[in-house]
């Protein structure tokens, strides 16, 4: 057993046998007649499937009426899978409440900001804070655990599904009650809360806890700290649901590890997964590619962050797609080679399981146009052939299983509080995108052939030579202290616009921005000067800024100016040597190209060099797990590796 960075043991699937890379999918047999089940198991064996996630949306079948459980069909499916040598990641089935429960207890339904009930008809229509929902859900978890505790096919428990995917923000009266309890826990006294929320502004001072409500639809901007606390609370409320299910599972089946599928992807920002990771036995993630010029970089970024949430240990890719999804405005099919490349990029960043949504493409329902391992066309299809080939390749790659990710020299700090707070309303601009800025740095590093780790701000990043903190907006005192210690100890720190601005309560660090880093950076900003849409600023190093600029002075004599705004003749990018380290500041959005040209000036002094030959940098991504080097083609052309090997277009080589 290995110990994660949180200090508790990390577990993996409960199964005997040599380590391997798991391969599989969500399996929804209830959508198909029984005759198809045996066919499914046969085809799974053909494809090399080792594990499926089962019963995710099966509540209505398992408990057709309040007092009736029907496990017969599920017993049969699990037995069939087991006989076929396929393991089961068994869901607790609580993700989507059945119609009878909603009819009986409409008070479990979420309520939106404006007070409208969110009706059933889709899925996940439950409030995390509803005691009634919790009772029914936990009864089901107990029934599932008791029924299947001794079944040898079960290798893990899958709590609920994508907690918070659709029901994160609930403004109901249950939420109000739970929010007050959460606030009492956080602040103890109303006076403390009044200070933290700055309630002397706009006559918001509370004289009784019961006056406090979630930030429901208001006349204008609700109190910013109330909004931020509600985001923290909403993430915690779902985490609490996760813990409650987990406690029952641990009580009844202490030998079966518990996971739940995170959504480290794109703009899914409401769940603080850095804070959730220590609640489960191993980290799982779902990822879907978002089309666009940074699609593959975003995949790599997400996989990398997931690996760091897992403390560098292997994690479980619970869902991604074999080809198109069904929930974007236009759903693009994957090109030849992309299925392999996408899956193996996750493996390169630590995934020891490669699973898809879903096994067999649905014939009916809202996801019938979503790709699967077996498409509507059947097994005689390019997708199924690609799936089968990948299954064989993963079996060949079993030597990779269990290996830890090799830490990189560069870390990019990722911070949910800063993400939430920096994008709130009533700010200098509403165009700022926290994750996009972080991704742009990651892309620029990939362009230069430099590996980077995307690490939670609260995690272990002190060992990295260079730490980049894009838009690190919320800086509590202890984080400011850690950053100062890091630099004073010889670390190289880089931060950007709108960083170091507020404390944990979202109050400004006064005296000139960025209050938390003013001394360290040797600069003082008096005023922000965001840019209008389409407006750009030229820097004297040839790069171009958008979105943001600052009006700032240099306050320390040893600050170097790396770039100036041409027209304003003002500093734009600075770097200050501090002890054996340094602290640099980038005051505008340079985007991937601008950052690619700026970065060498920051990497050089930190002693960071590419591990790739010059001709491969930018065209190939390198990721390392243990002794295993993954070379991932970032282009649509073959790449000659210069050693007699050629990397196919969109190909991946593991050596
Ligand atoms: C996930 C979900 C799956 C499926 C998939 C489609 O959000 O967990 O059940 O809906 O997306 O991409």
């Amino acid at each position: 057993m290995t110990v994660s960075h949180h200090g508790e043991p990390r577990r993996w699937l409960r199964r005997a046998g040599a380590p391997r890379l798991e391969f599989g999918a969500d399996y929804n047999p209830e959508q198909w007649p029984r005759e198809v089940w045996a066919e499914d198991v046969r085809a799974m064996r053909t494809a090399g499937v080792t594990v499926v996630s089962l019963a995710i949306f099966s509540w209505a079948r398992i408990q057709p009426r309040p007092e009736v459980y029907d496990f017969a069909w599920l017993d049969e499916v699990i037995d069939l899978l087991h006989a076929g040598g396929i393991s089961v990641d068994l869901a607790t089935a609580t993700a989507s409440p059945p119609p009878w429960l909603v009819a009986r207890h409409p008070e479990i339904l979420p309520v939106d900001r404006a007070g409208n009930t969110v009706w059933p008809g889709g899925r996940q229509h439950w409030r995390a804070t509803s005691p009634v929902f919790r009772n029914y859900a936990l009864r089901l978890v107990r029934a599932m655990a008791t029924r299947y505790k001794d079944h040898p096919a079960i290798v893990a428990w899958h709590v609920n599904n994508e907690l918070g995917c659709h029901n994160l923000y609930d403004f109901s009266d249950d939420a109000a009650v739970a929010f007050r309890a959460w606030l009492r826990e956080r602040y103890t006294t109303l006076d403390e809360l009044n200070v933290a929320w700055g309630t002397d502004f706009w006559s918001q001072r509370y004289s009784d806890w019961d006056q406090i409500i979630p930030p429901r639809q208001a006349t204008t901007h609700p109190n910013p700290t109330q909004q931020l606390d509600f985001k923290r609370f909403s993430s915690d409320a779902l985490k609490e649901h996760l813990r409650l299910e987990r406690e029952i599972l641990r009580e009844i089946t202490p030998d079966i590890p518990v996971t739940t599928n995170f959504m480290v992807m794109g703009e899914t920002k409401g769940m603080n997964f850095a804070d959730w990771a220590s609640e489960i036995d191993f980290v799982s993630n779902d990822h879907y590619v978002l089309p666009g010029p940074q699609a593959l970089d975003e995949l790599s970024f997400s996989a990398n962050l997931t690996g760091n949430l897992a403390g560098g240990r292997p994690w479980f890719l619970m869902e991604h797609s074999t080809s198109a999804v069904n929930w974007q405005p236009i759903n693009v099919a994957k090109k030849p080679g992309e299925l392999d490349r996408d899956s193996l990029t996750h493996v390169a960043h630590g995934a020891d399981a490669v699973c898809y949504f879903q096994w067999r493409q649905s014939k009916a329902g809202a996801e019938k146009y979503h790709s699967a391992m077996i498409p509507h066309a059947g097994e005689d299809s390019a997708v199924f052939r690609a799936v089968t080939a990948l299954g064989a390749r993963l079996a060949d790659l079993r030597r990779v299983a269990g290996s830890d990710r090799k830490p990189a020299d560069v870390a990019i700090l990722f911070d949910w509080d800063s993400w939430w707070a920096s994008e709130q309303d009533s700010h200098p601009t509403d165009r700022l995108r926290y994750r996009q800025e972080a991704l742009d740095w990651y892309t620029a590093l990939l362009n230069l052939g430099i590996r980077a780790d995307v690490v939670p701000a609260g995690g272990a990043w002190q060992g990295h030579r260079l730490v980049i903190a894009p838009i690190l907006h919320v800086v509590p005192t202890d984080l400011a202290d850690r950053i100062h210690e890091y630099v004073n100890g010889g670390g190289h720190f880089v931060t950007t616009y709108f960083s170091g601005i507020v404390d944990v309560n979202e109050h400004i660090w006064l005296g000139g921005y960025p209050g938390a880093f003013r001394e360290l950076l040797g600069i003082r900003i008096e005023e922000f000067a965001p840019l209008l849409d389409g407006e750009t600023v030229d820097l004297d190093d040839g790069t171009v800024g958008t979105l943001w600029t600052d009006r700032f002075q240099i306050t320390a004599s040893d600050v170097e100016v790396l770039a100036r705004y041409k027209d304003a003749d003002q500093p734009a990018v600075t770097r200050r040597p501090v002890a054996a380290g340094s602290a640099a500041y980038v005051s505008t959005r340079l985007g991937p190209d601008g950052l690619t040209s700026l970065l060498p000036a920051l990497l050089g002094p930190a002693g960071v060099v590419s591990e790739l030959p010059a001709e491969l940098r930018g065209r190939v991504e390198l990721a390392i797990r243990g002794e295993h080097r993954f070379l991932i083609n970032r282009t649509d052309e073959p790449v000659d590796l210069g050693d007699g090997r050629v990397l196919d277009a969109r190909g991946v080589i593991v050596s």
Side-chain angles (χ1 to χ4, degrees):
M1 224 175 239
T2 343
V3 170
S4 79
H5 70 294
H6 294 285
E8 70 292 333
R10 277 277 172 225
R11 297 165 68 189
W12 190 243
L13 306 187
R14 180 192 66 165
R15 62 169 277 276
R20 65 183 183 194
L21 297 174
E22 303 291 336
F23 186 51
D26 285 7
Y27 181 38
N28 298 303
E30 61 271 53
Q31 296 177 14
W32 298 95
R34 283 176 67 201
E35 310 79 78
V36 179
W37 302 348
E39 274 297 286
D40 281 333
V41 174
R42 181 200 47 75
M44 284 177 192
R45 291 175 65 88
T46 306
V49 165
T50 63
V51 65
V52 294
S53 297
L54 196 62
I56 293 175
F57 295 107
S58 305
W59 193 343
R61 281 293 195 113
I62 292 171
Q63 195 180 4
R65 288 188 299 282
E67 303 313 327
V68 179
Y69 284 103
D70 174 8
F71 288 114
W73 69 275
L74 189 55
D75 293 351
E76 190 178 335
V77 174
I78 296 177
D79 289 344
L80 262 174
L81 289 162
H82 186 58
I86 292 157
S87 311
V88 175
D89 163 52
L90 188 59
T92 55
T94 56
S96 206
W100 60 257
L101 176 50
V102 181
R104 205 184 229 212
H105 293 291
E107 71 273 24
I108 69 166
L109 294 169
V111 172
D112 74 8
R113 182 182 301 277
N116 300 310
T117 298
V118 178
W119 297 102
R123 61 175 175 184
Q124 217 176 52
H125 37 277
W126 53 274
R127 326 176 165 164
T129 57
S130 161
V132 174
F133 175 76
R134 195 174 298 150
N135 265 335
Y136 281 91
L138 296 184
R139 245 174 66 200
L140 177 61
V141 175
R142 193 166 280 284
M144 291 289 283
T146 307
R147 180 77 181 190
Y148 294 109
K149 68 181 175 11
D150 296 321
H151 204 296
I154 316 300
V155 292
W157 284 114
H158 179 115
V159 167
N160 202 276
N161 189 63
E162 288 193 344
L163 285 159
C165 180
H166 311 293
N167 62 348
L168 170 64
Y169 295 121
D170 161 44
F171 298 83
S172 65
D173 290 342
D174 280 337
V177 170
F179 187 36
R180 282 174 209 136
W182 184 93
L183 291 166
R184 278 184 168 215
E185 179 82 29
R186 185 175 176 88
Y187 296 111
T188 317
T189 67
L190 210 47
D191 281 349
E192 285 289 316
L193 176 136
N194 277 311
V195 171
W197 284 19
T199 52
D200 283 319
F201 179 82
W202 282 352
S203 185
Q204 292 174 351
R205 194 167 185 83
Y206 295 99
S207 57
D208 192 300
W209 290 97
D210 287 342
Q211 297 158 0
I212 301 174
I213 55 168
R216 292 176 176 154
Q217 188 159 303
T219 50
T220 181
H221 313 293
N223 179 304
T225 314
Q226 176 195 18
Q227 290 194 56
L228 180 58
D229 273 349
F230 189 66
K231 290 179 178 121
R232 291 168 171 153
F233 155 78
S234 298
S235 177
D236 279 1
L238 288 162
K239 183 176 75 171
E240 182 60 16
H241 184 87
L242 162 62
R243 291 159 60 114
L244 291 170
E245 288 204 16
R246 183 206 60 199
E247 283 314 295
I248 292 172
L249 298 169
R250 284 203 177 146
E251 172 201 322
I252 301 173
T253 61
D255 56 328
I256 304 179
V258 178
T259 193
T260 194
N261 42 345
F262 292 174
M263 284 172 284
V264 177
M265 61 164 288
E267 293 295 320
T268 304
K269 72 174 181 180
M271 287 71 72
N272 183 347
F273 294 126
D275 179 48
W276 291 26
S278 59
E279 301 292 345
I280 45 183
D281 292 318
F282 59 88
V283 167
S284 300
N285 196 47
D286 294 354
H287 185 273
Y288 291 94
V289 175
L290 305 163
Q294 285 167 281
L296 179 59
D297 302 350
E298 194 284 322
L299 186 163
S300 171
F301 179 99
S302 293
N304 184 296
L305 173 54
T306 306
N308 283 302
L309 295 176
R313 296 287 302 140
W315 51 278
F316 198 110
L317 176 61
M318 192 67 82
E319 292 181 24
H320 66 320
S321 67
T322 59
S323 191
V325 299
N326 66 302
W327 42 262
Q328 289 170 358
I330 300 173
N331 296 294
V332 180
K334 289 196 181 181
K335 298 193 191 91
E338 281 183 345
L339 179 145
D340 265 47
R341 184 203 55 193
D342 293 354
S343 302
L344 290 170
T345 302
H346 287 289
V347 175
H349 288 282
D352 267 3
V354 170
C355 294
Y356 299 93
F357 176 82
Q358 61 176 325
W359 164 250
R360 187 181 284 280
Q361 187 169 11
S362 300
K363 183 178 160 189
E367 296 186 316
K368 59 183 174 296
Y369 295 114
H370 193 295
S371 62
M373 293 175 90
I374 297 193
H376 289 153
E379 289 170 61
D380 182 11
S381 59
V383 166
F384 189 69
R385 281 186 284 278
V387 159
T388 303
L390 179 60
R393 189 157 181 205
L394 292 172
D396 262 8
L397 281 173
R398 58 173 62 228
R399 65 178 187 281
V400 170
S403 54
D404 286 0
R405 304 173 56 254
K406 183 178 176 202
D409 285 341
V410 179
I412 295 175
L413 297 195
F414 197 82
D415 183 45
W416 268 266
D417 256 8
S418 288
W419 191 1
W420 295 339
S422 66
E423 294 185 4
Q424 291 207 134
D425 55 22
S426 65
H427 276 196
T429 176
D430 69 0
R431 306 296 206 252
L432 175 151
R433 288 294 168 269
Y434 173 86
R435 200 179 195 260
Q436 183 63 46
E437 180 65 36
L439 176 60
D440 287 353
W441 284 88
Y442 191 80
T443 293
L445 289 159
L446 284 171
N447 290 345
L448 295 166
I450 307 278
R451 291 190 304 122
D453 283 326
V454 187
V455 188
W461 42 262
Q462 289 89 335
H464 297 263
R465 284 170 186 265
L466 180 72
V467 169
I468 301 170
I471 317 183
L472 189 60
H473 184 64
V474 180
V475 183
T477 316
D478 58 331
L479 180 57
D481 290 347
R482 286 172 74 209
I483 289 169
H484 282 77
E485 269 165 40
Y486 168 74
V487 175
N488 285 316
H492 296 271
F493 177 69
V494 180
T495 192
T496 72
Y497 60 94
F498 218 34
S499 295
I501 305 297
V502 294
D503 66 12
V504 71
N505 293 328
E506 239 235 350
H507 297 195
I508 301 289
W509 287 105
L510 295 176
Y513 315 120
F517 305 133
R518 195 171 55 229
E519 306 290 329
L520 186 70
L521 296 165
I523 62 166
R524 182 167 178 272
I525 300 166
E526 287 185 29
E527 207 178 357
F528 305 126
L531 302 176
L532 293 171
D533 290 342
E535 202 181 349
T536 59
V537 281
D538 290 331
L539 276 62
D540 63 359
D541 62 355
T543 59
V544 178
T546 59
L547 184 82
W548 193 282
T549 63
D550 291 314
R551 304 212 170 118
F552 72 99
Q553 308 104 37
I554 289 171
T555 53
S557 57
D558 49 359
V559 172
E560 278 173 76
V561 176
L562 298 183
R564 305 185 76 84
Y565 292 112
K566 255 185 174 169
D567 292 342
D569 193 29
Q570 287 247 354
V573 181
T574 61
R575 183 174 173 280
R576 179 180 188 205
V578 180
S582 67
Y585 182 68
V586 182
S587 66
T588 184
R589 175 165 187 225
L590 292 175
D593 291 348
L595 294 175
T596 306
S597 92
L598 168 69
L599 262 167
L602 303 170
L603 295 164
V608 178
V609 291
S610 173
E611 299 157 285
L612 282 171
E615 31 335 322
L616 300 187
R617 294 177 199 161
R619 293 194 293 158
V620 172
E621 173 182 356
L622 168 70
I624 307 177
R625 290 185 61 179
E627 299 304 307
H628 312 287
R629 289 167 64 90
F630 290 72
L631 294 173
I632 303 159
N633 192 340
R634 296 177 74 215
T635 77
D636 288 336
E637 307 293 332
V639 173
D640 188 340
L641 295 178
D643 57 4
R645 295 178 302 170
V646 173
L647 193 49
D648 293 338
R650 303 185 278 276
V652 179
I653 286 182
V654 188
S655 52

